[in-house]
Amino acid sequence: MAVTSEISSREAEVLTLVGEHLSNAEIGARLFISVRTVESHVSSLLRKLDMSDRRALALYAAATRTASPRPAPALPKPLTSFIGRTRERAELTELIKTQRQVTAVGPGGVGKTRLALAAVADVAADFADGVWFVDLVPITSPDMCVVAGTVAMALGIGEQPGRGFDRAVLAALADRNALLVLDNCEHVRDGVAPFVEQLLEACPGMSVLATSRARLMVPFERVYTVPPMSLAGEGDSDAVALFMDRAAAGGWPPNHAMRDRVATFCERLDGVALAIELAAARWTTLGLDGLAAGLDDQLRMLSGGARADDRHRSVRAALDWSHALLEPEDRMLLRRVSVFMTVFPVEAAADAAGLDKGAVAAGLARLVEQSLLVVTDTPTGTQFRALETIRQYGLEQLEAAGETADARAGHLRWCLAEASDLSIVRADWRARFDAAADDFRAALGWACEQPDRRSDAYGLARLLAPLMFTRHLTGESQWRYEQAAYLSDDPAAAAELLRHAAAAAGCQGNGDDMYRLHHAAAEFAQRAGDSAAASIDLATAAASAYRFWGKFEHIPAREDLVALVAEARRLAAAPTSAAPAVAAGADTVPTSAAPPDIARAGVVAVDPARAAIALAEAVLLANPFGAPQRVTDVPAPEAVSSAERAVELTHSTRDPFAESAALDALAAAQSRTGELRAAAATARRRIRLLSTTPDNPVGTHELIDALGQATEFGLGVGDLAGARRWGRQLAEHPMLAEVGHTATSRLLVADALAGNVDDVLTHSARFLEAWHREERPARSALGAAVAGVRMIHGLRDDYDAEREWTGVLQQLGTPATDADGYQAVFDALLMLHHGQPEDALERTELTPAEARARVTGVWLPWYLALHAEAAAMTGNTAASGDLAQARTEVTGNPVAAAIIDRAEALLAKDRDRLLSTATTFDAAGCVYQSARTRILAGGADATEGAAMLTTLGVAPMTALVHL
């Protein structure tokens, strides 16, 4: 292996992150570049480093990471070279160039993969977006979604909340001109075929090369039958060249004069590449006569049958014969390690074989010498792997020997230990997990089918669920939590697992599953005799339907949720076998029933069920499905006091997640009653509460929601520094890496209001790419971000980009109610910049009283401040009255207050007061508004302000009014 050209500094950065097993979206977010740019760098690295797939690239990156920050100028050559097949290589290459779907078919061991890789190397330059290689061997399920997931991981596409891997892959490849190589499709054809068909329909620039023992049977498939190694030319044939090359690798090259005899021997092997390589590995110990004699016996046993089966028989013969020459202990080791789906270390093989580690290490080395295993050096140590044909052969031998149960049990034992060890996240965690994940799945699948292994299956599923969540495979994490719950013999444990599954569903944006799983948890809690826990689950389900209504496809009817809370109240009053009975309506339980840490402290704990019901009732009042309300529609005292009571009760339970939910309800109630400063303070309190909680599904779900809430209310009170800080945490959260539009939306709003042009341009590129990749979803929640980006392009006089983002805003399906919120604010900012105060005044025409009723809470201060400034700049006679009314509404928002101060200074022609607002804007991080103030002041200050705008990347401002 050799570097074919220089690795750039950016490619070196990408290579390092590939070595950390980050997805393309995660790498893009880390380096502030687009996913498409990452894909281009990965494709270039595969070509320059002469590697077939992303897994090999990750291994190389990890291995070289500590030695040098950049790849070495030269690398070792592959263990084996590609021999002959000139005609076949040219034929397959031409088919790939002219056909969109080619399947290279042939029996195991004929050389399909090596020929495919050689042909791919010849055509790689014809595909602008590169070539991706995906090995399907580790898959055990023919389900299309599993196939799509494997392809996604190989391509660096992570799991996207609320979206299957199949849709994510199709969206990512929709406009790509690339070649996808699917290797070893035969055992999952039922999943590969529909996936390929959908891919070719949805992605017109994509081509597919598959290798399989049988054709895929999809439309437009062009089948290329891979022949055995050529025997033409006898002593000069491809088959002879392969034998001579592999035999020479043993250190004792065959005499050139023997080529004719070798040709005869290869003919008896039907030219099958794997059979020839296995025979050549025995050359140094048996010689040609010994090889021929050994093969005679195998072929005699396999005589008879149709000629079409000859090549299958020759591989079988070579494998049988090579297997028979092994020592008994090595035969046993080979068949037992065949249970591993991918690479495995010595320790794992020792578990599967039930042998001493030292003996296994020596046996594995002997199997490598006989070309029956492949050895790989990784950062975590030496790993071994069996070629798929040999692995399948080993499984047959395992079954014949009656050792399947023992080997699978040993494999399961190792998986349990490895999964347990991976519960502690270390520096090499991702690499270790990715290497073992397919074996975890296979072991769990086997254990689930064994009635006597139910306990082990439960244990592995319970370990695997949080590991999947940590790896950001949230959908599978939810599934594994559910699987563990239904494998558990303890209904109380099952209920707890289902609560985690519900939170994982929430992280996926799947409110319907979240609601269903909380119901299921309540059922298991009741089976456990814990009516209090069941009450909490039902109350939580009701509260979740209100709090996360935007994640539901089918929002439960209000009357159903009211009934759910009533049932929760009934259960809370019922005696429970899991804790002392609680009197109906009581707020506390005896100290003896409290958690040990609370009881020891002498604290009287609040009944968690009572707290959960109080929370559900508070949420019902504070956030009725997020529907816009006028302040007068909200029973202010009742909503706020109810939420405050819920906060008090949940705080006493010492459950930070329950308290976070109650704080969410309180902030919502405060916001809807116009108490923005109180809402912002509550949101900050919620962030502090969650800052030290575990990184599990429940904590992650709460934290992401809390960061969004804190950012929003920070904007409402003019805390742009805080809003940007929390928005940045959202943008950088690994759970949102694959949905860059969702991740960056809050940050974009804060940066747009602050006038941080460069940051908006950087993050908006990520937003737009991810939004297109997810097929341009119409989500009104993204509207403020899009309107902010559109305004920034307007400030830059980039009219083409402004029109593009206007089109995005239209596609989002933004509610008409938002026209008087963020849209009016960003429109007015742009109009004022371009010297159009009359237009800005018309755009913000609502009086303060009207605005209070129609403008969404966090945007009200900005709306009123900009209305006041537009009125002052037009010389409107009502400006003074508007300023006085507006000032009372923007209390607590220093930026909006400074805009009103500036408007008053303009009316009074008070230059000193005008310039004093620049200090406020500077302190708030609003460089744009500070520059605007200086331009309005005129003279030398205007020159300074214009220079500030130039530095920001903003076009010159039209100042119709200046002092």
Side-chain angles (χ1 to χ4, degrees):
M1 184 184 305
V3 177
T4 58
S5 58
E6 184 71 12
I7 303 294
S8 71
S9 58
R10 179 61 88 186
E11 286 172 341
E13 290 178 312
V14 171
L15 179 64
T16 298
L17 297 178
V18 169
E20 295 176 14
H21 290 246
L22 299 186
S23 71
N24 288 342
E26 289 171 319
I27 294 172
R30 184 82 62 90
L31 300 180
F32 299 103
I33 57 178
S34 72
V35 173
R36 188 156 194 168
T37 300
V38 176
E39 291 172 353
S40 177
H41 287 316
V42 171
S43 180
S44 176
L45 287 165
L46 289 171
R47 184 178 68 256
K48 290 181 178 180
L49 297 176
D50 190 24
M51 293 190 175
S52 61
D53 59 20
R54 191 184 185 95
R55 181 174 291 183
L57 193 65
L59 286 173
Y60 168 76
T64 59
R65 181 173 53 214
T66 55
S68 169
R70 297 188 57 177
L75 299 170
K77 293 182 179 180
L79 295 176
T80 59
S81 56
F82 184 75
I83 302 295
R85 292 194 182 274
T86 302
R87 176 181 59 81
E88 298 94 323
R89 183 172 181 171
E91 290 173 346
L92 185 55
T93 296
E94 185 60 26
L95 282 177
I96 296 171
K97 288 180 176 180
T98 58
Q99 306 293 323
R100 290 191 62 206
Q101 204 277 299
V102 179
T103 304
V105 300
V110 78
K112 299 184 295 296
T113 300
R114 292 300 300 269
L115 176 61
L117 290 175
V120 164
D122 294 337
V123 301
D126 294 346
F127 295 92
D129 292 313
V131 177
W132 290 297
F133 180 87
V134 183
D135 185 1
L136 299 180
V137 164
I139 300 180
T140 57
S141 168
D143 185 88
M144 187 186 76
C145 291
V146 177
V147 172
T150 303
V151 172
M153 295 296 285
L155 271 58
I157 301 171
E159 188 174 24
Q160 299 177 8
R163 192 180 206 191
F165 271 125
D166 51 343
R167 288 182 55 215
V169 170
L170 296 182
L173 302 181
D175 60 347
R176 299 296 194 263
N177 172 231
L179 174 65
L180 179 64
V181 182
L182 301 176
D183 195 34
N184 294 296
C185 298
E186 56 275 350
H187 63 303
V188 287
R189 279 195 306 160
D190 290 345
V192 172
F195 171 76
V196 168
E197 187 171 352
Q198 288 187 20
L199 177 70
L200 295 177
E201 288 179 356
C203 310
M206 290 296 299
S207 296
V208 175
L209 171 62
T211 71
S212 178
R213 298 184 188 185
R215 62 179 300 180
L216 301 182
M217 303 297 290
V218 295
F220 312 114
E221 179 181 29
R222 181 64 181 269
V223 175
Y224 180 79
T225 302
V226 178
M229 299 294 290
S230 172
L231 299 167
E234 298 182 348
D236 294 324
S237 70
D238 287 349
V240 171
L242 178 64
F243 183 94
M244 300 293 278
D245 179 84
R246 302 304 191 251
W252 182 23
N255 189 304
H256 186 76
M258 300 177 64
R259 295 179 74 94
D260 288 344
R261 292 182 60 197
V262 170
T264 301
F265 178 77
C266 290
E267 186 174 1
R268 297 176 65 195
L269 290 174
D270 296 305
V272 175
L274 177 61
I276 292 171
E277 295 198 12
L278 288 172
R282 293 285 182 178
W283 159 258
T284 55
T285 55
L286 296 179
L288 195 57
D289 289 339
L291 291 175
L295 188 60
D296 278 341
D297 291 338
Q298 298 302 325
L299 290 178
R300 190 175 302 116
M301 286 190 300
L302 295 168
S303 61
R307 179 65 186 172
D309 294 331
D310 281 351
R311 290 199 300 276
H312 290 278
R313 295 207 316 274
S314 61
V315 173
R316 167 72 63 182
L319 285 170
D320 282 340
W321 160 71
S322 190
H323 182 259
L325 291 173
L326 295 174
E327 295 297 327
E329 59 269 24
D330 289 348
R331 269 183 255 157
M332 188 268 280
L333 181 59
L334 178 64
R335 59 182 180 260
R336 292 206 167 195
V337 298
S338 65
V339 298
F340 289 96
M341 300 301 300
T342 53
V343 296
F344 56 88
V346 172
E347 297 81 2
D351 268 324
L355 296 173
D356 174 76
K357 179 180 172 181
V360 168
L364 293 174
R366 290 191 294 270
L367 293 174
V368 170
E369 291 172 359
Q370 302 304 326
S371 297
L372 294 168
L373 293 180
V374 176
V375 64
T376 304
D377 288 326
T378 71
T380 57
T382 301
Q383 302 269 349
F384 299 85
R385 177 176 62 87
L387 296 177
E388 180 58 10
T389 300
I390 295 173
R391 195 181 75 84
Q392 292 295 334
Y393 177 86
L395 288 174
E396 292 177 8
Q397 296 298 315
L398 189 67
E399 185 69 27
E403 298 171 354
T404 298
D406 289 342
R408 291 287 185 190
H411 179 238
L412 174 62
R413 187 166 53 248
W414 176 80
C415 287
L416 282 164
E418 183 71 359
S420 178
D421 192 50
L422 281 168
S423 297
I424 302 173
V425 178
R426 302 184 180 91
D428 62 347
W429 187 90
R430 272 205 176 193
R432 287 181 58 200
F433 176 82
D434 286 356
D438 288 321
D439 280 295
F440 292 158
R441 295 179 178 112
L444 181 55
W446 175 78
C448 286
E449 296 174 353
Q450 313 301 313
D452 60 336
R453 293 286 176 182
R454 182 184 177 91
S455 176
D456 287 333
Y458 164 71
L460 185 52
R462 184 162 191 164
L463 287 168
L464 193 52
L467 294 179
M468 288 292 177
F469 187 82
T470 302
R471 186 59 179 86
H472 306 140
L473 298 173
T474 316
E476 185 169 358
S477 172
Q478 175 191 332
W479 174 30
R480 297 302 179 186
Y481 274 119
E482 290 189 63
Q483 184 179 33
Y486 288 100
L487 285 168
S488 175
D489 293 326
D490 179 359
E496 183 61 25
L497 289 164
L498 289 170
R499 292 170 196 129
H500 283 290
C507 291
Q508 276 285 94
N510 191 335
D512 299 79
D513 267 6
M514 182 168 51
Y515 188 71
R516 170 182 63 83
L517 288 164
H518 279 304
H519 271 272
E523 292 177 9
F524 275 97
Q526 290 191 73
R527 291 183 201 174
D530 193 346
S531 57
S535 171
I536 295 171
D537 289 321
L538 293 181
T540 302
S544 295
Y546 284 108
R547 294 180 62 210
F548 306 111
W549 63 273
K551 297 183 179 183
F552 281 75
E553 287 189 21
H554 307 288
I555 299 177
R558 181 179 176 85
E559 55 269 24
D560 292 340
L561 296 176
V562 171
L564 204 60
V565 175
E567 176 63 10
R569 198 179 293 110
R570 185 190 68 79
L571 288 171
T576 175
S577 61
V582 181
D587 284 344
T588 61
V589 294
T591 302
S592 60
D597 56 330
I598 298 176
R600 281 195 298 270
V603 176
V604 177
V606 167
D607 171 18
R610 179 68 175 170
I613 293 167
L615 168 60
E617 292 170 339
V619 172
L620 187 149
L621 286 173
N623 187 20
F625 299 126
Q629 288 184 327
R630 298 177 181 177
V631 173
T632 54
D633 293 337
V634 179
E638 182 181 353
V640 174
S641 64
S642 177
E644 287 175 339
R645 179 61 173 159
V647 171
E648 177 186 349
L649 294 176
T650 54
H651 176 73
S652 297
T653 67
R654 301 300 191 268
D655 180 348
F657 303 131
E659 185 177 355
S660 170
L663 289 170
D664 177 25
L666 177 57
Q670 291 166 333
S671 172
R672 287 180 176 277
T673 55
E675 301 175 33
L676 282 182
R677 280 190 298 173
T682 300
R684 293 194 298 271
R685 176 180 167 187
R686 189 180 175 201
I687 293 290
R688 291 193 298 271
L689 174 68
L690 294 170
S691 62
T692 58
T693 54
D695 187 19
N696 59 24
V698 180
T700 298
H701 191 212
E702 281 294 324
L703 178 61
I704 288 174
D705 183 70
L707 287 170
Q709 185 185 63
T711 304
E712 181 177 0
F713 291 139
L715 295 174
V717 297
D719 181 12
L720 296 185
R724 292 183 67 227
R725 182 170 64 253
W726 297 311
R728 191 176 300 110
Q729 287 184 46
L730 269 179
E732 295 173 355
H733 198 288
M735 189 64 67
L736 302 177
E738 304 298 330
V739 283
H741 50 309
T742 301
T744 60
S745 60
R746 306 280 187 167
L747 180 58
L748 283 169
V749 177
D751 277 329
L753 283 174
N756 298 322
V757 176
D758 287 343
D759 289 336
V760 169
L761 296 180
T762 296
H763 294 295
S764 65
R766 181 183 171 197
F767 178 104
L768 193 60
E769 180 186 53
W771 184 68
H772 279 291
R773 189 155 30 96
E774 202 176 338
E775 300 169 345
R776 301 185 292 278
R779 294 180 187 165
S780 59
L782 303 175
V786 174
V789 176
R790 180 183 65 171
M791 180 203 71
I792 290 295
H793 286 297
L795 294 178
R796 290 168 50 81
D797 285 351
D798 187 344
Y799 302 116
D800 289 340
E802 185 181 3
R803 280 191 293 272
E804 179 184 14
W805 285 89
T806 298
V808 174
L809 192 60
Q810 292 169 346
Q811 291 184 61
L812 289 180
T814 311
T817 52
D818 288 340
D820 292 325
Y822 61 78
Q823 287 194 33
V825 168
F826 285 124
D827 286 348
L829 283 167
L830 187 57
M831 291 167 180
L832 290 171
H833 179 85
H834 287 308
Q836 301 165 338
E838 295 86 356
D839 293 338
L841 185 61
E842 183 179 351
R843 188 69 181 87
T844 57
E845 64 181 352
L846 301 177
T847 66
E850 291 171 331
R852 279 197 302 273
R854 291 173 54 181
V855 177
T856 306
V858 298
W859 293 103
L860 180 62
W862 298 92
Y863 183 99
L864 294 175
L866 292 171
H867 171 83
E869 180 163 351
M873 294 185 73
T874 60
N876 189 293
T877 55
S880 297
D882 287 345
L883 286 169
Q885 292 186 60
R887 183 170 294 284
T888 61
E889 298 290 345
V890 303
T891 303
N893 185 323
V895 180
I899 293 175
I900 291 178
D901 285 341
R902 185 170 63 196
E904 289 180 339
L906 286 171
L907 281 174
K909 299 188 182 301
D910 186 340
R911 191 170 186 277
D912 289 339
R913 184 180 179 187
L914 177 72
L915 285 172
S916 70
T917 64
T919 303
T920 303
F921 291 130
D922 287 334
C926 293
V927 182
Y928 170 78
Q929 291 294 346
S930 177
R932 178 174 170 78
T933 295
R934 288 172 168 82
I935 292 171
L936 291 173
D941 291 299
T943 302
E944 181 185 356
M948 292 170 67
L949 290 186
T950 300
T951 301
L952 284 176
V954 172
M957 187 182 95
T958 303
L960 299 179
V961 177
H962 59 79
L963 301 184

